[in-house]
């Protein structure tokens, strides 16, 4: 029977199947960070279990870290304690740690791919839902809970039932100003936050093929926002070119063997999916969200929908009330106070380049605070080498040091209650960027234009 | 993990859809490095105002409802994978969450902590919410062994699905880690025979 990409990688990682439909499923790479690992270390220690394959674990500090003065001790005591705990645990168990200040430190989903730790055909987990990012390489990558982090530490395996498969095909060329972020926000707006729950999604079609690896990561990153466990894109020449020469990518003869194997990782003609959806790239416009979940997105110049199913009305009005918007309203002309460019969705060098290209020679609006948080030390370094830091500084944007930052506001980077923030991150949940904060998700391009204008504008007039 | 067989309790209704784990436990409370104490901050920003005072109209503060069962709107637990969400609910005294749809990761996390995610149809959920709101003393009986949710006032038993292995784990208080560690031999055998060794 013809196999999907998911089938091929899944089947290759089944250690054994147990009656009742669960598989003992092998994990190649385990990424850990300070927030979801301490209780897992405690658990294996309490049970007296050793780490089964410590060389398959890589750790970094990202969620809690400050984005200013990273060379100084962390000010906030609880954050410092959590980051110290990670350092302690990694030292005790001999785990590779790219901690604060390390040249390889970064948001876990930026760090893994840029170092070549993420490779096609792998299974990758992390105690973080955006682990789906790594699926951009044609890997099975998904977020897990802390109990599962402990399971992988103890056995390098998980007990899982194989998810259902969904293929989302988007063919055609996108319009000017439409980026990877807009494509995925569009897809999520069509499916809703639970539309892909229970599924693993494969993205297919020329709109995804034409994306760079960074764009593909942006797409796969947000798979979880429609409930999908993960998203994946079959590896191709773009994937191989990206990986070639990266620190942990195979070298020499092993590289050739790897590419030969990776080239077999695609969905065969006629393979069946549990669900298939198709969209036309030409229908996608630059997007923005207006509500408190990532499914509440629309074209930036559209009107906030007035018609919602009866069962959803209460939640819908609660959401709009939180945001201070009315059904039927346009967002164009709305003043915003903050712009946040960062997060594992959009903090890579291409994102920073795109922002720099637009803001070069311009200034941010005086009432706007615009912060840019690179995804990793490597991204930061490259931005400085390319002079992006200067362009941003001249435009009044503040380039910070790497971390998750205002994406989840666990550190000092918070958006005040009631303020609007156009954010390149992935979640606009109530209070996500700080208690009472109001988030509008968009692409780095939309975010940059908004920062300069100080309000939401129809970006098409700025493109040439 | 605590064993679960049958639970009889009143319930707390929360008729909001798409409740994400950021609402269940906001990120700023994830700095603890143990599993305990998260219950205090369950639904923090819905439950308390900025000054830390209880918001009178939130369902857990009205004094009208109590019990070990939380009945919530569709797509419960979406968003972040934080297991702290399951810990917070459990720590606040809930043993069961009833909804018509659960996000995947939340469901797994709940099961790994002895918290039963019980899925019913949209129609049953709507009736349950209405029933509890009308009579907060309504008692529900969750019988995991028979996979039945009993609503005595309706004289109805509603069956629910649960993975057979997960059911065993809950009833016996086992978790996956015990099982997996016992598979060591099979895992090592698998490792020695990889199609592409990373
Ligand atoms: S950047 Fe945001 S979404 Fe990504 S890992 Fe960090 S907190 Fe999670």
């Amino acid at each position: 029977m013809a196999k999907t990409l998911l089938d091929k990688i899944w089947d290759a990682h089944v250690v054994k199947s147990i009656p009742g439909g669960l598989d003992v499923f092998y994990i190649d790479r385990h990424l850990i960070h300070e927030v979801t690992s301490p209780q897992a270390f405690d658990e294996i220690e309490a049970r007296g279990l050793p780490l089964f394959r410590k060389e398959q674990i890589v750790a970094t500090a990202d969620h809690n870290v400050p984005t200013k003065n990273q060379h100084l001790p962390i000010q906030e005591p609880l954050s410092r304690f959590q980051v110290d705990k990670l350092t302690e645990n990694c030292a005790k168990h001999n785990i590779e740690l790219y901690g604060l200040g390390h040249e390889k430190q970064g948001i876990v989903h930026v760090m893994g791919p840029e170092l070549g730790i993420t490779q096609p055909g792998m299974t990758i987990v992390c105690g973080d839902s955006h682990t789906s990012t790594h699926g951009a390489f044609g890997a099975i990558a998904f977020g897990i809970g802390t109990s599962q982090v402990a399971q992988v530490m103890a056995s390098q395996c998980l007990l899982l039932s194989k998810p259902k498969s969904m293929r989302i095909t988007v063919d055609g060329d996108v319009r000017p100003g439409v980026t990877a972020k807009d494509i995925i926000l569009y897809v999520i707006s069509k499916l809703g936050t639970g539309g892909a729950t229970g599924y693993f999604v494969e993205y297919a079609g020329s709109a995804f093929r034409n994306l760079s690896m960074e764009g593909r990561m942006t797409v796969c990153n947000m798979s979880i926002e429609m409930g999908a466990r993960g998203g994946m894109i079959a590896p191709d020449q773009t994937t191989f070119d990206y990986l070639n020469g990266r620190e942990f990518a195979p070298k020499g003869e092993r590289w050739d063997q790897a590419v030969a194997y990776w080239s077999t990782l695609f969905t065969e003609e006629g393979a069946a999916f549990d669900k298939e959806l198709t969209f036309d790239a030409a229908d996608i416009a630059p997007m923005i969200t207006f509500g408190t979940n990532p499914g509440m997105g629309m074209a930036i110049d559209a009107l906030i929908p007035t018609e919602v199913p009866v069962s959803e009305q209460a939640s819908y009005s609660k959401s709009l009330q939180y945001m201070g918007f009315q059904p039927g309203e346009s967002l164009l002309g709305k003043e915003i106070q903050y712009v946040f460019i960062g997060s594992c969705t959009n903090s890579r060098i291409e994102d920073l380049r795109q922002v720099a290209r637009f803001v070069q020679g311009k200034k941010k609006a005086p009432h706007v605070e615009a912060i840019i948080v690179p995804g990793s030390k490597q991204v930061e370094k490259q931005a400085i080498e390319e002079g992006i830091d200067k362009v941003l500084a001249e435009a009044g944007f503040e380039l910070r040091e790497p971390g998750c930052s205002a994406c989840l506001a666990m550190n000092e980077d918070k958006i005040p209650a009631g303020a609007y923030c156009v954010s390149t991150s992935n979640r606009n949940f109530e209070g996500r960027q700080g208690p009472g904060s109001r988030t509008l998700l968009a692409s780095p391009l939309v975010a940059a234009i908004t920062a300069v204008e100080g309000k939401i504008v129809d970006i098409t007039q700025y493109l040439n | 993990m605590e064993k679960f067989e049958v639970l009889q309790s009143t319930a707390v209704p929360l008729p909001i859809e798409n409740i994400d784990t950021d609402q269940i436990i906001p990120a700023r409370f994830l700095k603890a490095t143990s599993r305990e104490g998260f219950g205090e901050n369950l639904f923090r920003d819905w439950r308390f105002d900025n000054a830390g005072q209880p918001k009178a109209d939130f369902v857990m503060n009205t004094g009208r409802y109590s019990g070990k069962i939380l009945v919530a709107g569709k797509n419960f637990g979406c968003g972040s994978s934080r297991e702290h969400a399951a810990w917070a609910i459990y720590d606040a005294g809930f043993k069961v969450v009833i909804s018509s749809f659960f996000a995947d990761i939340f469901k797994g996390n709940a099961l790994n902590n002895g918290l039963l995610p019980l899925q019913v149809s949209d129609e049953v959920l709507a009736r349950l919410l209405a029933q509890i709101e009308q009579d907060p003393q309504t008692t529900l009986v969750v019988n995991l062994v028979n996979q039945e949710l009993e609503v005595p006032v309706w004289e109805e038993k509603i069956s629910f699905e649960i993975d057979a292995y997960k059911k065993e784990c809950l009833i016996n208080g086992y978790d996956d880690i015990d099982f997996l560690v016992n598979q060591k031999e099979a895992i090592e055998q698998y490792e020695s025979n990889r199609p592409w060794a990373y």
Side-chain angles (χ1 to χ4, degrees), chain A residues 22-160:
Chain A
L22 288 171
D23 293 330
V24 176
F25 188 73
Y26 192 81
I27 303 302
D28 294 312
R29 288 280 183 277
H30 186 192
L31 307 171
I32 61 172
H33 61 82
E34 75 276 23
V35 178
T36 56
S37 66
Q39 293 89 348
F41 280 109
D42 284 354
E43 184 165 346
I44 57 161
E45 283 170 17
R47 290 169 187 252
L49 296 168
L51 281 197
F52 186 64
R53 294 290 178 252
K54 63 174 179 346
E55 60 287 355
Q56 284 166 242
I57 308 178
V58 181
T60 191
D62 56 0
H63 281 63
N64 239 329
V65 301
T67 56
K68 282 182 185 170
N69 295 321
Q70 288 189 345
H71 60 287
L72 299 176
I74 300 176
Q75 293 290 311
E76 213 271 319
L78 288 174
S79 299
R80 187 174 62 236
F81 182 72
Q82 212 171 39
V83 172
D84 287 350
K85 192 93 192 157
L86 179 72
T87 310
E88 226 174 85
N89 280 326
C90 288
K92 182 152 53 158
H93 294 277
N94 226 334
I95 293 171
E96 186 79 39
L97 167 67
Y98 304 144
L100 200 56
H102 193 287
E103 58 174 19
K104 294 180 193 147
Q105 179 266 346
I107 303 173
V108 62
H109 313 308
V110 175
M111 175 276 287
E114 77 185 358
L115 295 175
I117 293 171
T118 302
Q119 295 168 25
M122 280 185 170
T123 51
I124 302 169
V125 295
C126 174
D128 189 283
S129 59
H130 292 100
T131 310
S132 57
T133 312
H134 307 261
F137 290 78
I140 293 184
F142 54 93
I144 57 177
T146 296
S147 295
Q148 292 174 306
V149 170
Q151 291 161 23
V152 179
M153 285 176 172
S155 70
Q156 210 54 39
C157 287
L158 289 169
L159 260 184
L160 299 174

Side-chain angles (χ1 to χ4, degrees), chain A residues 129-380:
Chain A
S129 59
H130 292 100
T131 310
S132 57
T133 312
H134 307 261
F137 290 78
I140 293 184
F142 54 93
I144 57 177
T146 296
S147 295
Q148 292 174 306
V149 170
Q151 291 161 23
V152 179
M153 285 176 172
S155 70
Q156 210 54 39
C157 287
L158 289 169
L159 260 184
L160 299 174
S161 54
K162 187 172 173 182
K164 288 181 282 183
S165 61
M166 180 189 293
R167 178 160 59 187
I168 297 179
T169 307
V170 183
D171 271 315
D173 292 326
V174 294
R175 293 190 238 160
V178 172
T179 66
K181 182 65 162 284
D182 302 294
I183 302 177
I184 190 63
L185 281 174
Y186 175 84
V187 170
I188 300 167
S189 75
K190 295 292 169 196
L191 273 87
T193 46
T197 302
Y199 291 89
F200 229 91
V201 175
E202 180 177 344
Y203 300 97
S206 56
F208 299 114
R209 281 271 145 254
N210 293 339
L211 293 174
S212 67
M213 280 321 290
E214 300 200 354
R216 294 180 189 183
M217 285 188 251
T218 300
V219 168
C220 290
N221 173 275
M222 291 195 74
S223 306
I224 181 74
E225 307 311 341
M226 48 191 181
R229 207 52 202 276
M232 60 204 318
I233 295 176
D236 59 9
Q237 199 55 45
T238 305
T239 322
F240 309 149
D241 291 345
Y242 177 94
L243 277 171
N244 199 354
R246 296 206 179 242
E247 185 165 349
F248 293 97
K251 306 268 153 36
E253 202 180 313
R254 279 177 60 78
W255 170 260
D256 299 332
Q257 286 167 5
V259 171
Y261 171 60
W262 296 342
S263 305
T264 67
L265 300 174
F266 56 87
T267 290
E268 288 162 11
E269 194 75 42
F273 286 84
D274 296 302
K275 196 165 181 176
E276 289 246 30
L277 294 171
T278 306
F279 300 102
D280 186 348
D283 292 340
I284 306 175
M287 299 285 291
I288 195 156
T289 64
F290 56 87
T292 56
N293 72 54
M296 300 173 82
M298 63 180 190
I300 196 162
D301 57 355
L303 303 179
I304 295 176
T306 47
E307 312 255 309
V308 286
V310 183
S311 71
E312 287 166 29
Q313 269 163 13
S315 304
Y316 189 76
S317 347
K318 181 176 182 296
S319 176
L320 288 192
Q321 201 180 357
Y322 180 88
M323 292 301 293
F325 297 146
Q326 300 293 329
E329 207 180 11
S330 165
L331 290 182
L332 298 182
K334 291 262 179 213
E335 273 212 1
I336 55 100
Q337 294 79 39
Y338 288 82
V339 166
F340 169 64
I341 296 169
S343 90
C344 56
T345 316
N346 284 117
S347 64
R348 297 181 176 83
I349 192 67
E350 287 175 12
D351 300 316
L352 270 57
R353 282 186 195 136
Q354 187 173 40
V355 172
R357 256 198 313 275
F358 179 77
V359 304
Q360 178 135 42
K362 301 188 180 73
K363 285 257 183 279
K364 68 160 182 75
H367 67 276
V368 172
E369 195 169 314
I371 67 165
I372 304 206
V373 183
S376 69
K377 276 301 213 201
Q378 310 254 314
V379 173
E380 181 188 38

Side-chain angles (χ1 to χ4, degrees), chain B:
Chain B
M1 206 166 78
E2 217 172 300
K3 295 181 185 183
F4 189 119
E5 284 186 346
V6 179
L7 175 84
Q8 176 167 346
S9 173
T10 50
V12 178
L14 194 53
I16 302 170
E17 298 194 346
N18 303 316
I19 296 178
D20 57 79
T21 53
D22 273 81
Q23 306 318 313
I24 300 174
I25 181 91
R28 61 186 190 281
F29 300 111
L30 306 185
K31 300 188 187 204
T33 54
S34 74
R35 288 177 187 237
E36 285 78 42
F38 290 103
E40 266 172 54
N41 294 312
L42 174 67
F43 298 121
R44 175 75 200 199
D45 294 336
W46 289 352
R47 207 166 135 200
F48 301 101
D49 63 19
N50 289 344
Q53 292 308 308
K55 292 186 185 174
D57 57 347
F58 185 65
V59 65
M60 289 170 75
N61 298 333
T62 57
R64 206 174 134 75
Y65 304 101
S66 63
K68 295 181 175 167
I69 303 174
L70 179 66
V71 186
K74 186 158 92 180
N75 197 24
F76 186 82
C78 59
S80 157
S81 59
R82 59 189 71 165
E83 194 161 314
H84 312 65
W87 300 337
I89 296 171
Y90 196 83
D91 193 53
F94 294 105
K95 299 279 180 278
V96 179
V97 184
I98 300 179
S99 180
S100 59
F101 198 72
F102 290 95
D104 275 338
I105 304 182
F106 175 80
K107 189 163 152 186
N109 287 341
L111 288 165
N112 282 332
N113 287 280
L115 176 69
L116 176 67
L118 194 163
Q119 187 163 332
V120 295
S121 67
D122 285 329
E123 185 260 343
V124 168
L125 181 68
R127 282 170 63 213
L128 271 178
L129 286 166
Q131 170 68 41
I132 299 160
E133 282 170 356
Q134 186 223 319
D135 177 9
Q137 299 313 316
T138 305
T139 301
L140 308 178
V141 184
V142 176
N143 186 324
L144 177 60
V145 182
N146 297 343
Q147 295 182 220
E148 277 170 349
L149 168 68
E150 190 185 339
V151 191
V153 279
W154 298 347
E155 296 179 3
E156 251 180 76
K157 286 183 180 171
I158 300 146
S159 61
F160 62 88
E161 300 283 318
I162 180 169
D163 178 88
Y165 166 82
K166 284 291 171 194
K167 175 177 167 182
E168 280 302 301
C169 285
L170 281 178
I171 291 175
N172 296 306
Y174 294 159
D175 39 33
D176 292 359
I177 200 162
D178 301 324
F179 181 88
L180 287 167
V181 169
N182 284 323
Q183 303 299 315
K184 207 171 147 200
E185 221 170 286
I187 296 167
E188 283 173 347
Q189 165 86 39
Y190 166 84
E191 284 178 325
S192 64
N193 191 17
R194 306 289 315 278
W196 167 257
Y198 290 101

